[in-house]
Amino acid sequence: MINLRQLGSGWIDAFYPRDCILTGEPLDISRFRYLSERAVHRLPMIRDPRCPTCGHPFYGSLEDAPICHHCELLHPVFDAGRCGFVLSRDVRELIHAFKYKRKKYLAPDIAHLLARCPGFLDFLEGAIVIPVPLHPKKQRKRGFNQSSEILHHISTRHAPGRFETRSVIRRLVDSP
């Protein structure tokens, strides 16, 4: 069966070839639409060992099951969280392009990156995920809620039925 979306994007790519959002190099056929394999390998993925509370990576050897310095000082009100990547220059550039430059088309690639992180999809198993809402003014300005977009692509392409998304909170204060 022919996928019309892939066929259409193939024609568009023939006339308007894509470049990697991070490296600027022309893209070949890849698992990602806007990231080169070289750029993906540069992103510092978080692997174990990591803080069991916030998911921040530990470097070196560990004794017992400690929590990180931040969680020790802040005493978070949540039980567990996961981070996919260390916030490097490339990760920051990717997130800023998505969030502030209105590059909504990056959501599938970001979702795919997170789905590849060790234990990330397992962490979501059976969870109820609540995306952080934007203030209506900020959402009008940006055009979309970034966390909702990423969650949509994770839930439909990488983890169908593994977790539930609910919009049960709203933002009342427009923070800077």
Side-chain angles (χ1 to χ4, degrees):
M1 183 171 171
I2 297 174
N3 183 332
L4 294 177
R5 182 174 292 211
Q6 288 177 333
L7 183 63
S9 67
W11 279 101
I12 291 170
D13 289 345
F15 292 103
Y16 302 100
R18 292 170 286 118
D19 293 333
C20 175
I21 196 83
L22 296 175
T23 65
E25 62 193 15
L27 291 173
D28 291 327
I29 295 186
S30 167
R31 294 171 287 202
F32 297 94
R33 293 275 303 148
Y34 298 97
L35 293 169
S36 67
E37 289 297 326
R38 189 167 69 88
V40 169
H41 291 295
R42 287 189 340 203
L43 302 176
M45 186 181 295
I46 296 176
R47 303 176 189 284
D48 286 333
R50 66 178 97 203
C51 175
T53 304
C54 71
H56 192 272
F58 287 121
Y59 302 102
S61 60
L62 297 175
E63 296 177 16
D64 301 324
I67 61 173
C68 74
H69 180 67
H70 297 104
C71 291
E72 215 170 61
L73 294 174
L74 298 175
H75 307 289
V77 295
F78 56 88
D79 293 330
R82 282 294 174 270
C83 303
F85 295 85
V86 175
L87 190 60
S88 67
R89 183 184 59 82
D90 286 336
V91 172
R92 184 183 310 268
E93 188 175 329
L94 179 63
I95 296 302
H96 277 240
F98 175 60
K99 189 173 179 178
Y100 299 114
K101 295 179 182 175
R102 296 182 175 190
K103 297 186 185 234
K104 185 177 176 181
Y105 57 82
L106 293 174
D109 280 358
I110 294 170
H112 188 61
L113 285 169
L114 290 170
R116 291 173 40 153
C117 293
F120 192 83
L121 295 179
D122 294 335
F123 177 75
L124 293 175
E125 187 73 41
I128 297 173
V129 182
I130 302 169
V132 176
L134 297 172
H135 187 272
K137 181 179 172 184
K138 196 167 282 179
Q139 183 151 346
R140 278 191 304 275
K141 181 179 177 185
R142 290 192 186 155
F144 62 100
N145 181 313
Q146 297 78 28
S147 58
S148 294
E149 276 300 310
I150 294 169
L151 281 170
H152 167 74
H153 289 283
I154 290 174
S155 68
T156 57
R157 295 183 181 169
H158 302 285
R162 291 180 71 177
F163 66 94
E164 184 181 337
T165 304
R166 290 188 192 166
S167 296
V168 296
I169 57 177
R170 61 186 188 141
R171 185 172 300 257
L172 301 174
V173 177
D174 186 13
S175 56

